[in-house]
Amino acid sequence: MAVPGDPPNGTPENVGGGDDEFRPDEYRSIVFDEDFVRAARIQEYSAQERMGEHARAVRSRSIWSGAGSGGSRSASPGRGARQGMLLVLLIATAFAVAVYMGLRNPYVPVPGGGAEPLASTVVPLAPAAVVPGGKPAELYAKSPAAQYRVGAAGITMPAVRRTQHFTDGQVGAALSIAKDYLVQSSLDPDVLSGAATRPVRVLLDPDQLAQFDRSMTSPSGDGRYAATGWLVRFDPATTVLADSHVRASGTLGYEEVAPDVLQVTTDHTFVYAVRPASATGVAADGASLFTVRRELRLRFDREDLTARRAELASAYVMAGPQDCSADPAAGFRPLTAGTGPTTVGPAASDPYASGHPRRAAGLCGVLATPPPETEPVSPAP
């Protein structure tokens, strides 16, 4: 019969039943009595019993204070709950900060106020002598415009260099748009006759279209709604072109006026051969010259350059010969050949002179025309 402590399958074969001859020599002197063998039972302690006094080495903590009690089995869930609560708190805080910064961030750009309205001044120039008449070619040859180029060729481009915040390509684009505006508003036959406005309108900033449309339909000489501030237009009831080859000369300049605004300044003189709309009582060669000096300031932001449009900030226009009593806001009414001096303005203004135009002190000036041999301007190559 097996006793406690014996192998579970009994005594292995070829193993003696305790004879000394099968024991190592060093254990021959050790003898276990039966009581000792019976008492030497294998006993396996539980984990709690094996831990003894160290059972509480790992203790659970309270979520907020870190104090608490319990065995090691509750330690991990307590720590996980604490970390979860901290994570939720951090997410809520980050969300609140994001909402606050979105509402109160001082670096959010303020929406732009759009393009400023055009400020224009149109000054008629009264003749100081009898208005000469003749054939257009002869009139041009005897005037300072003899050395002007014809049409768009008279609007020459300056050298292009980048500015602090605009590349040379952007500067070139601004100059190109400005030239297009001058060509459409000063040389297009349909625009000159009052038959069309769209070639000019499509080149304007959308914020100025309402002002432009009102200037075309209800022109006024109040400095904001003069049609002749935006473009050159003759009163079709009184005047038509006698020659489509308009003479032009002038300069284009540019400067950066703000980190996001490029300004182009144009200063050009245009000379037109005109005649009365009705030829009754007027000889076939009874044309006369009409001179318009336009100084414009056009502004561009990067969006304007991409869309190929401009903001016309200001226009200063002198035009003659005209009667000072006539309102040039709706369209120019040139005095015909043979007309003598009319109302005399406060000072002579020469639209052919180069450089900054001499601005008339009042609402009318005197047309001064120097002979071509004394003051040539912008000779053609």
Side-chain angles (χ1 to χ4, degrees):
M1 175 176 180
V3 294
D6 290 341
N9 296 324
T11 304
E13 296 181 357
N14 299 328
V15 179
D19 296 338
D20 289 343
E21 60 181 348
F22 295 105
R23 298 175 182 172
D25 295 339
E26 60 269 24
Y27 297 110
R28 289 181 180 274
S29 60
I30 301 175
V31 178
F32 298 97
D33 57 16
E34 185 178 355
D35 293 336
F36 178 82
V37 172
R38 292 180 180 275
R41 297 181 178 181
I42 299 174
Q43 181 178 359
E44 182 178 358
Y45 292 95
S46 66
Q48 183 72 25
E49 291 172 334
R50 289 198 303 269
M51 292 177 63
E53 295 298 330
H54 300 284
R56 298 182 180 274
V58 179
R59 294 176 297 176
S60 62
R61 292 176 177 268
S62 170
I63 293 177
W64 303 112
S65 64
S69 60
S72 61
R73 297 179 60 183
S74 62
S76 179
R79 183 167 59 253
R82 178 169 59 91
Q83 293 176 347
M85 291 295 294
L86 289 176
L87 181 60
V88 171
L89 180 61
L90 288 175
I91 293 174
T93 303
F95 180 79
V97 171
V99 172
Y100 176 82
M101 294 299 292
L103 295 176
R104 301 293 299 276
N105 187 0
Y107 299 102
V108 175
V110 179
E116 295 293 330
L118 166 66
S120 63
T121 302
V122 182
V123 180
L125 300 179
V130 175
V131 178
K135 294 181 179 180
E138 296 175 353
L139 293 173
Y140 281 130
K142 297 177 182 179
S143 75
Q147 303 183 60
Y148 287 8
R149 295 177 178 177
V150 177
I155 305 174
T156 57
M157 303 285 280
V160 175
R161 296 183 179 86
R162 64 168 298 147
T163 64
Q164 184 176 0
H165 298 96
F166 289 88
T167 66
D168 52 358
Q170 291 172 323
V171 172
L175 292 171
S176 175
I177 299 169
K179 180 175 180 176
D180 287 347
Y181 187 88
L182 286 172
V183 170
Q184 299 301 328
S185 64
S186 308
L187 302 175
D188 187 300
D190 291 334
V191 173
L192 297 177
S193 64
T197 59
R198 189 176 185 279
V200 179
R201 191 179 190 274
V202 296
L203 294 173
L204 289 172
D205 189 290
D207 292 334
Q208 292 189 312
L209 295 182
Q211 184 187 10
F212 176 82
D213 292 341
R214 178 175 171 183
S215 300
M216 298 302 111
T217 57
S218 302
S220 172
D222 59 358
R224 297 189 63 178
Y225 298 105
T228 47
W230 300 93
L231 46 81
V232 177
R233 170 193 280 181
F234 295 102
D235 181 2
T238 61
T239 307
V240 295
L241 286 177
D243 184 8
S244 60
H245 298 90
V246 180
R247 303 304 197 266
S249 179
T251 60
L252 283 167
Y254 62 90
E255 64 177 329
E256 181 181 309
V257 296
D260 58 345
V261 178
L262 191 66
Q263 178 173 285
V264 175
T265 301
T266 74
D267 184 6
H268 289 80
T269 298
F270 300 93
V271 184
Y272 307 86
V274 298
R275 64 176 178 82
S278 175
T280 303
V282 180
D285 59 353
S288 61
L289 296 184
F290 188 80
T291 305
V292 179
R293 177 76 174 267
R294 303 182 76 197
E295 183 185 89
L296 310 178
R297 287 191 300 114
L298 301 101
R299 291 178 178 171
F300 305 85
D301 56 25
R302 288 173 177 79
E303 185 178 355
D304 292 329
L305 296 176
T306 302
R308 289 198 63 80
R309 67 195 186 199
E311 172 194 342
L312 184 57
S314 68
Y316 186 84
V317 181
M318 298 187 299
Q322 290 186 96
D323 191 335
C324 286
S325 61
D327 183 5
F332 297 127
R333 297 179 179 179
L335 294 175
T336 59
T339 304
T342 58
T343 304
V344 178
S349 300
D350 182 8
Y352 293 94
S354 60
H356 191 73
R358 179 177 179 180
R359 300 176 184 268
L363 297 179
C364 187
V366 177
L367 178 61
T369 306
E373 63 271 16
T374 59
E375 193 171 343
V377 180
S378 301

